Amino acid sequence: MRVQRIVTFALWLLQALTAAAVGGQGDPVDEYKLKAAMLYNLTYFVEWPGSAYPNRHSPIVLCILGEDPLAISLTTSIPEETDDDRPVILRHVQSDKEFAGCHILYISSSQRKTAARIVSSLNGSSILTVGEMAQFAAHGGMIQFSLEDRHVRFDINLDAASRVGLKISSKLLALAQIVKN
Amino acid sequence: MLCPGSVAAQQPGPDDLGKQSMEDLAKMTVDSVYGATKFLQKAGDSATSITVITAEEIQKHGYQTLADVLKGVRSFYVINDRNYSYVGVRGLSLPGDYNARILFLLDGHRVNENIFDGAYVGTEFPVDIDLIERIEIIRGPNSSIYGAGAFAAVINIITKRGRDLNALEISADAGSWNSYKTRLSFGNRFDNGLETLLSGTFYNSQGHKELFFPEFDSPVTNNGIAENADGDQAYSMFGDFIYGDFNIHVVGNSRTKHVPTASFGTVFDDPRNETTDARRYVDLQYRHTFGSWETLGRFSYDWYGYHGIYVYDYASAEIPPYTENYDAANGTWLDFQGDVSRVFFKRHKVAFGTEFRKDIRQQQLNYDIQPYYLYFDDHLTARLDALYVQDKYVFYKNMALLVGLRSDWYRIYGNTLSPRAGVHFNPTPNTDFKVNYSSAFRAPNDYEAFYAGNNSNTPNPSLKPERIRSWEVDADRRFGKTYYVSGAGFLNRIDDLILPSLDPLTGNPVYTNSSPVKTKGIEYEVGAKFPGGLEGSISHTLQSTRDVLTGEDLVNSPRQLAKAKLSLPLLQKRLFASAESQYTSRARTVQQTELGGFFLVNLTVFSRKISKRLDLSGGLYNLLNKRYADTGGLEDREVSIPQDGRSFGMKLTFRPYVDSK
């Protein structure tokens, strides 16, 4: 009898209490698929200086330097086109001589020893540098992915980006943490 | 408490993720299951009734051990004889079986040892509960994939990975009866790809200063009061290294418990009565996907050691200091497993594999320390070879046929086949129906068949494996992302159940294959998880497990179990208040009396990041201070073992390196 009463009360409680629908978390997703999706999503929030795109339908060139799990995920999850009808082209690069024409440069964690040097060698070209190695943003990288509490976070080095003429939408800044050099 | 079974629990593909907005992507949680473990959930596709408990739930409800977690799971119940905790599921829980009928896996590695088939789920479990990422509980027999011992359930405990910790983590627990625990953990994923998690835990509890047992209420035995006889000390170490496709686990623990119940005819209220169980292993895994072939190879080396001090008054003269008897067991074994999985012709998901196990050592030892007298020193070795195959054939767009078979060949028992067959039907993406038949077995363990002790047990080398045949129907339905309803009906028949009874000639316990047992039951669960963090569930199980010949209920088989859980987020998801209640109906004891049913309530308050670097939680267990007892075993003079009244526990976790990248 007592059990029945408790059960009824609990059911009532479940019904009575409502929660604000803030948007569910759903099932967990693969970390690198998520980071790759976020990286491709970045293109909507970054404006390259006018000279970077000769015309509206020029492709966005994503260059990948080195290899790590995110690089592999980027290669396998390349989207057909971005929202404004711009295709994304993937290019694997081996050295800084091949950076010309890149819009985004993803520097894999395998290059951690030379990352700081690579970033400084870019020297004024409007390339958005992205990485996930430790201290990437602090050493001049523009966007650094990290994992915090089971969520993917990204740090933005706003100085480094604006110095080369890249404009980052405030919507993205709201979702990220800003880092100084 | 999450979604049961496989109701549309698919990961969004890369295209789906690409269509999400940045805000939504930022809210998603990253899958913390090591890739191979998804494959290690070999039974995941075929499994019938599953419950998943996450680390978050463990924190919110203040579970201190695996036993606490299982007490809240549908159709599970746990008893404790103040030495070990014994887990029962769907009416099957035989006192003293050391959980031999449930297969416990730690990241896919078999925890059950090779002497008692035991897995120890209280403070004696090899891994600290804080390191657990999630627990996958599969009710029902599963020998068609896992082999021997997956008799009543399979419980897979998955640990966290280095990246889930912010470098260093220090945790301190305190609780009733002077219980303390400290843990130091380090976890990191390095840029070169190496990921590691290292952890050490130390636990000490003084236990009850006084425990009263009416069966010993006489002036000679301290009027039934066992003083300072409930102490518990344990330490455990855990190391996990991931590099590329390789994963190495190094696990070790040891736990000593003082035994206050004067079990096995020992002297009452003598503080020297104690048992120690220790477990160690190294496990190396390699996984790789070759094209469309998923493969997993695992090689491990295991050791189990038990020893106990049993104080006997052989002369029955009641004159101290009595005789200390040393009882021990040592087991070492090597195990190799290879698993392959692949989809053929788009419709057949096939998994097959092999296992080789070599028991290098199975030693049971018993002698009196002073004056020295050796009673028993038995050494055995054993070998197991196994092969299994399983096919999930999607023969129509939302219907699948599942067939599986495993063959286990023991040097002693020869060949045992464990088949499984079932039909799965998904009328809508959120609905799941399954009908399943499976057969599983458990081979007699070293202790049941061969142990003689100090002439305390009669061995029975002619024991045969016990077998369970199970028919089950499962239905799961999810409503949106929030509500779920789940239910199952099951019919089990157990043959040759290995039970202890008293040998009429010697009065000693002896294990024999007993008469058939039939179980029939239904279980159902309803729950909800709201986006804001509010979640709750209620489950109820109704079953009867009876000896076919006598018509009597089995020992320790309560006909009804009910569980309710509720978790309320307060303060913007940083503070949670959770409540839990469990009802267990009455059950028969080993001595043929009946124990009353009982109703327990637990309350926990948990604060995540009360300050940036601190988590804090506090809980009150058995809030209503209900006095209840669990059945003893044949080795206990006590009819029942009284359990704890109201108690409290607190935990503080400190992460000094949060937010420094």
Side-chain angles (χ1 to χ4, degrees):
Chain A
M1 221 9 243
R2 215 149 119 240
V3 179
Q4 278 181 345
R5 257 187 261 143
I6 307 277
V7 166
T8 324
F9 171 76
L11 275 172
W12 168 84
L13 200 62
L14 266 173
Q15 282 176 349
L17 292 164
T18 50
V22 174
Q25 289 183 333
D27 296 312
V29 295
D30 178 78
E31 178 187 349
Y32 291 109
K33 285 192 184 138
L34 183 56
K35 282 179 177 168
M38 283 175 124
L39 201 154
Y40 282 116
N41 223 302
L42 282 176
T43 52
Y44 305 131
F45 298 90
V46 178
E47 245 179 72
W48 278 262
S51 56
Y53 294 125
N55 69 61
R56 266 179 12 121
H57 297 286
S58 306
I60 294 186
V61 181
L62 166 57
C63 297
I64 299 181
L65 178 68
E67 202 177 270
D68 69 7
L70 181 49
I72 296 170
S73 186
L74 284 169
T75 319
T76 54
S77 56
I78 172 173
E80 303 249 296
E81 284 182 346
T82 64
D83 243 358
D84 32 11
D85 293 329
R86 232 177 241 155
V88 176
I89 291 186
L90 217 61
R91 202 196 288 168
H92 288 270
V93 296
Q94 314 292 342
S95 73
D96 48 5
K97 296 187 189 56
E98 306 174 50
F99 292 165
C102 296
H103 293 112
I104 306 176
L105 175 65
Y106 175 72
I107 305 179
S108 303
S109 303
S110 62
Q111 312 299 112
R112 65 193 175 285
K113 291 206 181 78
T114 51
R117 189 186 58 73
I118 293 170
V119 162
S120 47
S121 79
L122 288 173
N123 209 6
S125 14
S126 349
I127 301 178
L128 182 74
T129 50
V130 182
E132 67 160 4
M133 63 195 91
Q135 303 294 315
F136 183 68
H139 288 142
M142 292 169 202
I143 301 201
Q144 178 186 342
F145 282 116
S146 65
L147 204 59
E148 196 183 290
D149 238 0
R150 222 52 56 67
H151 293 276
V152 174
R153 290 276 167 266
F154 46 97
D155 293 350
I156 300 182
N157 187 333
L158 204 52
D159 291 335
S162 27
R163 229 181 290 133
V164 298
L166 292 170
K167 282 211 199 81
I168 300 186
S169 152
S170 52
K171 291 206 201 91
L172 189 71
L173 295 176
L175 292 172
Q177 268 129 291
I178 314 295
V179 166
K180 311 279 175 191
N181 261 29
Chain B
M1 193 162 75
L2 275 179
C3 60
S6 54
V7 183
Q10 305 287 335
Q11 281 199 355
D15 301 317
D16 309 333
L17 276 183
K19 297 194 182 83
Q20 306 287 327
S21 72
M22 195 59 117
E23 287 95 339
D24 288 337
L25 290 174
K27 289 202 197 91
M28 291 187 181
T29 42
V30 160
D31 191 352
S32 238
V33 174
Y34 174 55
T37 35
K38 280 196 281 256
F39 180 69
L40 287 176
Q41 299 167 31
K42 294 186 268 201
D45 273 338
S46 63
T48 44
S49 189
I50 310 184
T51 297
V52 177
I53 306 284
T54 60
E56 205 187 312
E57 199 172 327
I58 292 172
Q59 282 178 318
K60 286 184 187 171
H61 288 283
Y63 295 131
Q64 296 166 317
T65 63
L66 183 57
D68 293 339
V69 176
L70 294 174
K71 284 177 189 172
V73 175
R74 172 171 115 214
S75 292
F76 277 82
Y77 55 109
V78 184
I79 63 169
N80 183 294
D81 63 359
R82 296 213 173 269
N83 195 355
Y84 299 101
S85 297
Y86 305 95
V87 181
V89 55
R90 289 181 172 172
L92 189 69
S93 171
L94 298 160
D97 77 350
Y98 305 113
N99 306 314
R101 293 169 176 98
I102 298 180
L103 177 62
F104 285 84
L105 302 169
L106 188 61
D107 294 316
H109 179 101
R110 181 183 282 253
V111 177
N112 302 69
E113 31 79 4
N114 73 349
I115 307 281
F116 305 97
D117 277 336
Y120 306 98
V121 300
T123 52
E124 64 278 30
F125 188 70
V127 152
D128 191 315
I129 199 164
D130 298 339
L131 297 177
I132 296 179
E133 172 57 38
R134 70 196 227 182
I135 304 172
E136 294 166 356
I137 299 158
I138 306 172
R139 282 168 285 264
N142 248 299
S143 290
S144 63
I145 295 218
Y146 293 107
F151 197 81
V154 175
I155 299 179
N156 190 9
I157 294 116
I158 296 171
T159 56
K160 294 183 175 167
R161 293 171 303 179
R163 75 186 77 168
D164 299 324
L165 265 66
N166 292 99
L168 204 60
E169 204 171 273
I170 304 164
S171 187
D173 285 55
S176 300
W177 305 297
N178 264 316
S179 306
Y180 299 100
K181 187 177 89 164
T182 49
R183 172 176 66 89
L184 181 65
S185 307
F186 171 76
N188 198 19
R189 180 172 48 178
F190 301 95
D191 287 330
N192 63 2
L194 173 68
E195 188 172 358
T196 182
L197 175 60
L198 301 167
S199 182
T201 297
F202 181 73
Y203 170 82
N204 191 336
S205 169
Q206 201 175 42
H208 290 260
K209 290 218 182 98
E210 287 187 352
L211 280 171
F212 174 67
F213 298 100
E215 293 82 355
F216 291 93
D217 191 359
S218 112
V220 174
T221 47
N222 203 28
N223 297 310
I225 301 177
E227 284 174 20
N228 294 317
D230 195 35
D232 191 344
Q233 294 108 38
Y235 71 82
S236 68
M237 294 175 311
F238 181 82
D240 178 19
F241 305 88
I242 304 178
Y243 189 71
D245 289 334
F246 289 92
N247 188 351
I248 301 177
H249 279 92
V250 181
V251 176
N253 88 307
S254 174
R255 178 263 201 172
T256 302
K257 176 82 179 52
H258 294 258
V259 185
T261 54
S263 51
F264 298 99
T266 50
V267 173
F268 185 76
D269 192 31
D270 191 315
R272 294 174 289 173
N273 287 318
E274 63 169 47
T275 63
T276 301
D277 291 88
R279 187 86 169 73
R280 292 203 273 272
Y281 69 81
V282 176
D283 181 299
L284 170 65
Q285 258 181 64
Y286 172 77
R287 63 160 182 123
H288 196 79
T289 303
F290 298 94
S292 45
W293 296 84
E294 284 174 39
T295 67
L296 174 70
R298 178 201 295 276
F299 181 74
S300 57
Y301 175 77
D302 282 72
W303 174 80
Y304 167 70
Y306 144 76
H307 67 262
I309 306 273
Y310 298 84
V311 180
Y312 282 101
D313 180 9
Y314 288 126
S316 298
E318 284 149 14
I319 303 169
Y322 312 122
T323 317
E324 282 180 40
N325 175 267
Y326 183 84
D327 189 52
N330 282 295
T332 14
W333 63 103
L334 286 168
D335 192 280
F336 170 75
Q337 287 171 37
D339 302 294
V340 179
S341 165
R342 192 206 146 130
V343 176
F344 291 94
F345 313 119
K346 284 198 195 170
R347 289 173 172 269
H348 290 264
K349 175 145 193 209
V350 178
F352 56 92
T354 182
E355 182 175 2
F356 299 114
R357 194 179 323 144
K358 173 86 181 141
D359 290 298
I360 304 168
R361 182 154 89 137
Q362 289 173 295
Q363 176 196 21
Q364 296 187 88
L365 175 65
N366 186 291
Y367 60 84
D368 287 337
I369 296 178
Q370 183 70 260
Y372 177 78
Y373 184 81
L374 177 68
Y375 293 99
F376 187 68
D377 188 5
D378 191 47
H379 292 256
L380 291 172
T381 60
R383 212 184 106 189
L384 162 75
D385 297 299
L387 273 175
Y388 77 89
V389 66
Q390 177 171 279
D391 181 15
K392 184 171 184 182
Y393 171 36
V394 183
F395 62 89
Y396 191 56
K397 53 179 186 233
N398 50 13
M399 285 181 81
L401 179 68
L402 199 113
V403 200
L405 182 68
R406 177 164 162 140
S407 159
D408 286 271
W409 180 87
Y410 286 87
R411 212 175 50 201
I412 320 179
Y413 304 107
N415 210 357
T416 315
L417 287 178
S418 304
R420 153 189 293 275
V423 177
H424 293 195
F425 176 44
N426 275 85
T428 78
N430 280 339
T431 317
D432 235 353
F433 284 117
K434 298 177 196 167
V435 179
N436 248 284
Y437 166 79
S438 65
S439 170
F441 76 103
R442 182 182 77 85
N445 60 49
D446 203 27
Y447 173 72
E448 288 160 339
F450 301 108
Y451 180 74
N454 57 346
N455 302 319
S456 56
N457 286 48
T458 305
N460 186 358
S462 62
L463 274 176
K464 291 181 295 182
E466 52 189 26
R467 176 168 282 288
I468 183 170
R469 277 173 256 258
S470 173
W471 286 94
E472 188 173 328
V473 174
D474 290 79
D476 300 291
R477 164 106 205 204
R478 217 179 180 179
F479 299 91
K481 280 187 179 172
T482 311
Y483 301 94
Y484 70 88
V485 172
S486 167
F490 46 92
L491 275 167
N492 299 336
R493 185 186 158 105
I494 304 175
D495 286 293
D496 293 322
L497 185 64
I498 297 171
L499 284 180
S501 54
L502 290 177
D503 184 350
L505 291 175
T506 58
N508 286 345
V510 62
Y511 285 87
T512 56
N513 295 106
S514 74
S515 50
V517 167
K518 269 194 177 157
T519 299
K520 52 183 192 221
I522 54 165
E523 60 187 40
Y524 51 92
E525 184 176 338
V526 63
K529 184 170 177 157
F530 296 94
L534 171 68
E535 59 184 311
S537 72
I538 296 175
S539 81
H540 183 220
T541 308
L542 199 56
Q543 67 88 31
S544 93
T545 299
R546 287 196 245 198
D547 182 306
V548 164
L549 290 182
T550 65
E552 278 188 334
D553 282 359
L554 230 58
V555 168
N556 194 30
S557 183
R559 290 221 180 176
Q560 286 199 61
L561 295 170
K563 329 261 177 193
K565 294 186 202 182
L566 184 65
S567 192
L568 286 161
L570 314 164
L571 280 192
Q572 282 185 319
K573 288 204 175 194
R574 279 179 35 186
L575 187 65
F576 294 88
S578 307
E580 181 182 43
S581 67
Q582 294 147 11
Y583 171 71
T584 310
S585 68
R586 43 177 203 229
R588 260 176 72 231
T589 67
V590 155
Q591 299 191 21
Q592 311 306 320
T593 62
E594 205 171 63
L595 281 171
F598 56 90
F599 183 72
L600 297 175
V601 176
N602 302 327
L603 274 185
T604 314
V605 174
F606 167 61
S607 170
R608 177 184 297 140
K609 295 199 178 212
I610 190 174
S611 85
K612 195 161 71 161
R613 300 190 162 83
L614 284 180
D615 287 351
L616 183 63
S617 73
L620 279 171
Y621 308 101
N622 193 357
L623 181 70
L624 306 177
N625 201 16
K626 170 79 188 177
R627 284 177 0 160
Y628 70 104
D630 291 334
T631 177
L634 268 187
E635 67 273 15
D636 299 309
R637 224 166 89 184
E638 294 89 345
V639 174
S640 63
I641 318 271
Q643 300 297 304
D644 291 340
R646 192 184 302 124
S647 68
F648 81 93
M650 279 176 17
K651 184 198 287 281
L652 183 73
T653 305
F654 176 57
R655 298 181 180 92
Y657 296 108
V658 164
D659 249 6
S660 55
K661 275 167 277 216

